[in-house]
Every structure is written in structure tokens, then in C-alpha cells.
Amino acid sequence: MALISPSRRLRRTPFSEGVEAAGVKAYTVYNHMLLPTVFRSVQEDYRHLKTAVQVWDVACERQVELRGPDAARLMQMLTPRDLRAMLPGQCYYVPIVDETGGMLNDPVAVKLAEDRWWISIADSDLLYWVKGVVQGWRLDVLVDEPDVSPLAVQGPKAEDLLARVFGDAVRDVRFFRFGLFDFQGRSLVVARSGYSKQGGFEIYVEGGDIGMPLWNALMEAGRDLDVWAGCPNLIERIEGGLLSYGNDMTDDNTPHECGLGKFCDTQTAIGCIGRDALLRVAKEGPVQQIRPIAIEGPALPPCDRWWPVLAKGKRVGRVSSAAASPDFDTNVAIGMVRMTHWDPGTELEVDAGEGLRKAVVQPKFWI
Ligand code: THG
């Protein structure tokens, strides 16, 4: 593909200088912002992520901040996950649905206080939906996108690296919890979370001015841990079944179709805007669902359009993400498959644009 023209609409991040100095080879666009996708090669980045530690510029995971007396009520209006037991200091992965039960986003909700939340969004303009809800219901809450940019530290050595920069207390932060940690006199949210299955943390960098100082501090402290600049890795995230909004699902899909039923408590999520619609569809159950699919043959090209999934020549689904996996010696893929063909072991064909490939529905994701 040709190069993308830089402009102010394609936002840089507080870490872009470090990303460029590290030799980024490719970007995508996410929430109108640069998101690195390759440093050395997707395969080299993958192996390193699984053995060492990487620092990721994921500033494109923008925050929608809710502030005010109606913040908690608003958050529950947005999601079918029951938030009543959620305490300040916790993060929840939350499907966000519209009035039809269609997925608008699949962010991480960060509860800073009863009246202050961050919604760490995937790639859709959720801010406008949230502002519309606030106006339509005349809620007493301020909604905006603050100057907060996540920096992820991922990989088996992530905890050792973070302990060097923030102190040993970060080791006590549990999965999907956060603590406040000092960097250069500023108090930052540091959560144990991130878009990989290798373990790690996300630092919510509040104030773009400390972006490069923090980036540099992590790179220097991690020199002997073999720290690299990295990014969400296509192969690893497919192996781990981490979904990508806009690729693997859209607003045409319910959370149940996406396999996110375990993050829905539709009966008790009182106030959720999509509740009635989801109660209706959940009663029948979904007729198509996300599945891990192994696609045979040589390494596939990037999946930049939905690839038809066929059985006896008839379309029974689509593949939305695929990559050749070094560890599992097959093309790993994420697809949406109709009920009649979604059982593990079902043999299918995938039209990846260059002839049909044999494919098999897997019992579970690879990691
Ligand atoms: N971290 C933060 N913001 C984000 C992402 C992130 N915004 C965009 C995008 N990623 C949102 N999508 C996801 C998808 C999966 C997960 C998090 C955000 C995730 N899932 C775990 C899993 O499936 O194993 C755990 C879910 C759980 O058990 O609660 O982490 O990565 N800040």
C-alpha cells in the first residue's frame, strides 16, 4: 500500500517522537490517531513480546471522561454489565450497546471515584453517543476527552520493569485493578491490564508533557531486560481471542454474537439503554457467533475485508482477522460463523481472495 499523508486530523501522540526514534515500520489509524503496528517485523515483535518486555504507544485508546453526580448512572445506561459491585480502583471490560443491543464499542471502564470514570475506548466515536445520551436524559454529568494517553508495558518481564520505575508496590496491583503511582511528582493511574495475554500494565499518562520523559525512563530502566518499543501484535491477539472493534464486530452485532455474553448481566443491569432489546435476543440465543478458526496452507495476506466462510459452496460466515502463527503452525483466525456450522471440528472453506482454503472451527482460542 502507498503511504498515508500526515495531517493534523491524523493525530500524533505524546510518545510519537519515541516511536519514530525506535524505527516504527508501519502504522494504522485508530480513533483518528496514529497506532504503530510493526517495529522489526510482526513475527519478530511477536517472539519478543512472548519472551521479554515491550513499551506500547496506545495513546489511541482515548478516554471518555464522565464527571459529576450522574456519572455512575450514565455508565450503567451505556452497558449491560452490572456495575453495582464495582469499586473505585477497579477496571471492567464492558460491552457498550445502543437501543437495539448493537455493539457501539468494547472499552475498559475505569472507576476513579463514584462520580468520576474513564471509558478507555476502542475504535469508534463513542464520545458523541455519550454526549447525546447526557443531553437526551438531561443528566448532571460532564463528558469530554481529557489529555490522558495510555502507555502499555507488556510481556513476561513487565512487572520487573515497572517495579524499577514506580517501586515494588506495583507488584501488588491485581488484574484489572489500578493504583496511583508517582512519576516526576505527578500521580498516575497504573493498572494491571493490556491488549495481550502475556501479562503487563497500562499507565494512563495524564498530561502529554510527561509522555517522552516516561517513555525514556522505561527504555533506560529496561535496557538489561531487553526492552523494545512494541505495539499490539496481530498474531498474539488472535491467538488470545482479543477482539478488535470494527474488524471482528460492528454495531450490527450483539455482545452475545461476539462471545461477550459473560460480560453481560442484562437481567440486573437496570437502566441499560439496550436492556429490552438484549433481553429479547438473549432469550432465543444468537444465531451466529465469534469462533476461533484454523485456516490451512501457507501464510495468508492481511485480512483487509471480510473473507467469506463457505460450507458446500454456501456462505455460512466470515473471517475478520487472520495471521500465520509461528507457535501453532497454522493460520489462526477470528470469524463469525452461523449456528449450523459453529461446532468445534466443523470443516469449512475460506475464500481469502486467492482460491478456497480448508478451515476448521477450533474448540477454543489458542492462548
Ligand atoms: N486497554 C485499554 N483500553 C483499550 C484496550 C485495552 N481500549 C481499546 C481496546 N483495548 C478495547 N478492547 C479490549 C479487548 C479486550 C480486553 C480489553 C480491551 C481484555 N480482555 C481480557 C481477555 O479477554 O482475556 C480480559 C477481560 C476480563 O477478564 O475482564 O483485556 O487493552 N485501557
Side-chain angles (χ1 to χ4, degrees):
M1 213 167 44
L3 300 180
I4 297 181
S5 301
S7 78
R8 83 162 301 278
R9 287 186 302 97
L10 207 183
R11 300 181 287 177
R12 294 170 58 82
T13 88
F15 318 110
S16 290
E17 207 185 299
V19 162
E20 283 160 10
V24 63
K25 288 212 176 85
Y27 284 112
T28 188
V29 179
Y30 194 101
N31 287 324
H32 316 278
M33 197 172 249
L34 290 169
L35 170 61
T37 54
V38 184
F39 281 87
R40 302 203 180 176
S41 70
V42 176
Q43 293 75 16
E44 275 183 275
D45 294 352
Y46 164 90
R47 183 57 57 214
H48 181 266
L49 170 62
K50 287 189 170 190
T51 51
V53 55
Q54 299 182 348
V55 176
W56 294 1
D57 174 359
V58 284
C60 66
E61 296 169 354
R62 302 313 294 163
Q63 309 307 301
V64 174
E65 181 171 79
L66 316 181
R67 215 154 21 108
D70 286 334
R73 179 181 170 210
L74 171 59
M75 192 67 232
Q76 187 66 82
M77 291 173 76
L78 301 174
T79 181
R81 186 160 177 188
D82 189 335
L83 303 177
R84 286 177 302 175
M86 188 176 181
L87 300 168
Q90 287 190 301
C91 309
Y92 275 14
Y93 181 43
V94 288
I96 303 287
V97 299
D98 66 16
E99 76 287 358
T100 73
M103 292 281 298
L104 294 180
N105 206 289
D106 68 329
V108 175
V110 181
K111 184 170 183 176
L112 301 161
E114 204 54 44
D115 62 354
R116 186 161 176 244
W117 301 64
W118 283 337
I119 310 175
S120 186
I121 61 171
D123 187 21
S124 79
D125 292 315
L126 190 69
L127 183 71
Y128 303 143
W129 168 257
V130 177
K131 280 179 176 285
V133 169
V134 166
Q135 294 307 309
W137 267 266
R138 303 174 175 280
L139 300 180
D140 188 2
V141 54
L142 294 170
V143 180
D144 66 2
E145 185 188 297
D147 178 13
V148 172
S149 296
L151 186 63
V153 181
Q154 300 284 301
K157 297 178 182 170
E159 187 179 296
D160 288 337
L161 174 52
L162 240 63
R164 294 181 186 186
V165 173
F166 293 106
D168 274 322
V170 289
R171 298 185 189 275
D172 300 331
V173 176
R174 296 194 284 148
F175 186 63
F176 266 60
R177 307 268 172 151
F178 69 84
L180 294 171
F181 292 87
D182 181 273
F183 180 75
Q184 295 188 348
R186 306 262 277 275
S187 181
L188 301 179
V189 169
V190 179
R192 193 184 286 269
S193 58
Y195 199 65
S196 87
K197 289 287 194 181
Q198 305 309 310
F201 296 82
E202 292 179 301
I203 307 157
Y204 290 80
V205 180
E206 209 169 344
D209 59 310
I210 55 167
M212 280 315 299
L214 178 58
W215 174 280
N216 290 328
L218 287 164
M219 289 302 177
E220 273 153 42
R223 204 167 308 206
D224 65 302
L225 298 175
D226 191 29
V227 66
W228 287 8
C231 52
N233 184 272
L234 178 69
I235 311 168
E236 198 269 351
R237 77 108 181 144
I238 296 173
E239 290 177 352
L242 297 172
L243 303 182
S244 169
Y245 187 81
N247 286 318
D248 302 319
M249 73 284 208
T250 71
D251 59 358
D252 285 335
N253 302 118
T254 64
H256 305 283
E257 290 177 339
C258 303
L260 301 179
K262 60 177 177 287
F263 301 109
C264 298
D265 318 277
T266 313
Q267 282 291 345
T268 58
I270 309 296
C272 169
I273 289 169
R275 184 163 172 267
D276 290 351
L278 285 180
L279 284 173
R280 258 177 274 127
V281 302
K283 199 150 61 190
E284 299 282 314
V287 300
Q288 56 176 357
Q289 202 167 47
I290 291 277
R291 283 291 180 272
I293 300 173
I295 306 176
E296 297 179 4
L300 290 160
C303 185
D304 60 357
R305 62 203 68 193
W306 286 333
W307 291 335
V309 172
L310 310 169
K312 292 185 184 154
K314 284 186 60 154
R315 192 185 176 288
V316 297
R318 69 185 192 220
V319 160
S320 47
S321 300
S325 163
D327 282 353
F328 298 96
D329 197 32
T330 184
N331 293 290
V332 294
I334 298 176
M336 183 74 74
V337 182
R338 275 204 235 150
M339 184 166 55
T340 48
H341 293 80
W342 72 21
D343 287 340
T346 305
E347 295 190 8
L348 302 166
E349 288 178 311
V350 173
D351 179 5
E354 20 133 270
L356 297 183
R357 295 283 190 104
K358 239 186 97 182
V360 181
V361 177
Q362 302 297 299
K364 53 185 170 51
F365 282 97
W366 292 266
I367 53 179

